[in-house]
Amino acid sequence: MELSHTMRAVEITEPGGPDVLKPCTRPVPVPGHGQIVIRVAYAGVNRPDALQRAGSYAPPANASPLPGLEASGTVVEIGPGVTRWSIGDKVCALLPGGGYAEYVVTPEAHALPVPAGLSMAEAACLPETCFTVWSNVVMRGGLKAGERFLVHGGSSGIGTTAIQIAKALGARVFTTAGSDDKCAACETLGADKALNYRTGDFVAMMHDEGGAQLILDMVGGPYLPRNVKALATEGRLVQIAFLQGPKVELNFAEVMMRRLTITGSTLRPQSDLAKARIAAEVEANVWPMIAAGKFHPVMDSEFPLADAAAAHARMESSGHVGKIVLKVE
């Protein structure tokens, strides 16, 4: 189909707060080998977008400088070598960047079909969180049925996804959140116990349960030594972000004596092949959970593309439960 040469988008005008996000006009991207162009219906809003906006998370050299790491929409152009998708297919996709725009390009292997029964807005909530949770909780963290799993930030997009996926896998799920209402929402999603971290101690909670066999953490900072204390012997800690900083003093004697494993990852810098492998695992394992009604994305709110600054302000207020999306179409 004949595409326009230009498109509406939102750019980062300079490092700073949400107000540096401004509407702009950019050229429509052209697909390379193995790539597809998606006309974006909705774009997901994620913490890495805010880090990029603040100037602390630069995009890869070959990625769009526009923010946006996931989107749903319609395939409108295919590059050489594309075999899976055809023009007109409805997809949701992990993106190297550029999601805050009318059109975006991504490798075909990073796109998945929109699950039956989900709206395009809901589908835009899936890629970043599902890829992150599955690759870190299962592929890296090795979660098994019956294990005690603790995820911090249970009311976030990552948290609401991790609670449901871990529960569907048969784990006992524990979480922390910043209010009693958020804790209640986490328990509604399947958490066996949700702790208000402002009034309770997650280390004591997990000691009472015998210790966590796996912890997924995005807080970092002072949580790191507390996570170590909350782990059971031979437990695993998977770190995916550092909202309170990456540096802390930690006594590794306890790690050695109790044979603990500390690991972690970030998604965006991984190779296209690595992301394609994660996509295949997510489609094979998480998409059936959606079809069976065991997992459903939790949406907090929707903003027009031009109001991306307001969406970022909402995310950084930490008042949200679940995912925030931008309506592009």
Side-chain angles (χ1 to χ4, degrees):
M1 64 179 290
E2 187 69 25
L3 300 183
S4 169
H5 294 294
T6 60
M7 63 180 183
R8 293 182 299 117
V10 167
E11 65 179 349
I12 300 168
T13 55
E14 61 181 328
D19 59 318
V20 305
L21 295 170
K22 302 290 186 183
C24 65
T25 300
R26 289 291 180 91
V28 172
V30 176
H33 189 275
Q35 294 182 327
I36 58 175
V37 175
I38 300 168
R39 184 175 70 240
V40 177
Y42 289 85
V45 177
N46 294 284
R47 290 281 180 181
D49 302 340
L51 292 174
Q52 180 179 337
R53 187 207 71 221
S56 57
Y57 191 35
N62 60 346
S64 168
L66 299 175
L69 299 177
E70 63 183 346
S72 64
T74 304
V75 177
V76 292
E77 192 170 357
I78 58 175
V82 170
T83 58
R84 179 172 186 183
W85 304 110
S86 301
I87 291 173
D89 286 344
K90 306 294 185 184
V91 298
C92 56
L94 188 74
L95 310 173
Y100 291 16
E102 289 184 285
Y103 297 92
V104 69
V105 66
T106 199
E108 73 159 334
H110 300 175
L112 297 175
V114 172
L118 294 193
S119 68
M120 294 298 272
E122 291 169 325
C125 299
L126 295 172
E128 175 74 13
T129 49
C130 288
F131 280 48
T132 298
V133 169
W134 189 264
S135 63
N136 285 286
V137 172
V138 180
M139 297 172 71
R140 181 170 296 276
L143 183 66
K144 298 177 179 62
E147 288 193 314
R148 295 179 295 275
F149 170 61
L150 170 63
V151 56
H152 293 296
S155 61
S156 67
I158 292 289
T160 56
T161 300
I163 289 168
Q164 294 181 81
I165 288 178
K167 196 66 177 179
L169 292 171
R172 295 185 63 209
V173 181
F174 302 86
T175 191
T176 60
S179 72
D180 291 344
D181 287 345
K182 287 184 176 182
C183 287
C186 293
E187 290 177 351
T188 299
L189 291 172
D192 293 275
K193 187 171 184 179
L195 178 80
N196 184 338
Y197 63 77
R198 301 183 192 278
T199 58
D201 179 6
F202 71 81
V203 176
M205 175 179 72
M206 295 317 303
H207 278 185
D208 290 344
E209 299 291 339
Q213 280 134 340
L214 177 65
I215 297 177
L216 181 68
D217 182 43
M218 66 284 291
V219 180
Y223 271 42
L224 284 165
R226 295 175 67 197
N227 283 330
V228 167
K229 292 184 182 301
L231 284 170
T233 297
E234 298 191 339
R236 296 96 67 198
L237 169 63
V238 181
Q239 199 73 37
I240 58 171
F242 296 102
L243 295 177
Q244 294 188 16
K247 297 181 181 180
V248 69
E249 185 174 301
L250 181 64
N251 184 349
F252 259 77
E254 189 169 3
V255 175
M256 295 164 61
M257 293 294 291
R258 296 201 289 122
R259 302 178 299 283
L260 306 179
T261 298
I262 299 177
T263 183
S265 75
T266 54
L267 183 58
R268 194 176 193 183
Q270 295 188 48
S271 69
D272 285 350
L273 179 58
K275 293 174 187 175
R277 289 171 176 159
I278 297 169
E281 288 247 354
V282 167
E283 185 172 10
N285 294 282
V286 180
W287 261 224
M289 293 179 186
I290 297 173
K294 296 180 178 180
F295 167 57
H296 195 284
V298 177
M299 279 189 58
D300 175 81
S301 50
E302 174 185 313
F303 293 81
L305 175 63
D307 290 344
H312 274 227
R314 169 70 178 167
M315 179 175 61
E316 292 185 311
S317 75
S318 295
H320 63 293
V321 174
K323 293 297 292 284
I324 299 167
V325 297
L326 299 175
K327 181 175 172 56
V328 180
E329 277 191 341

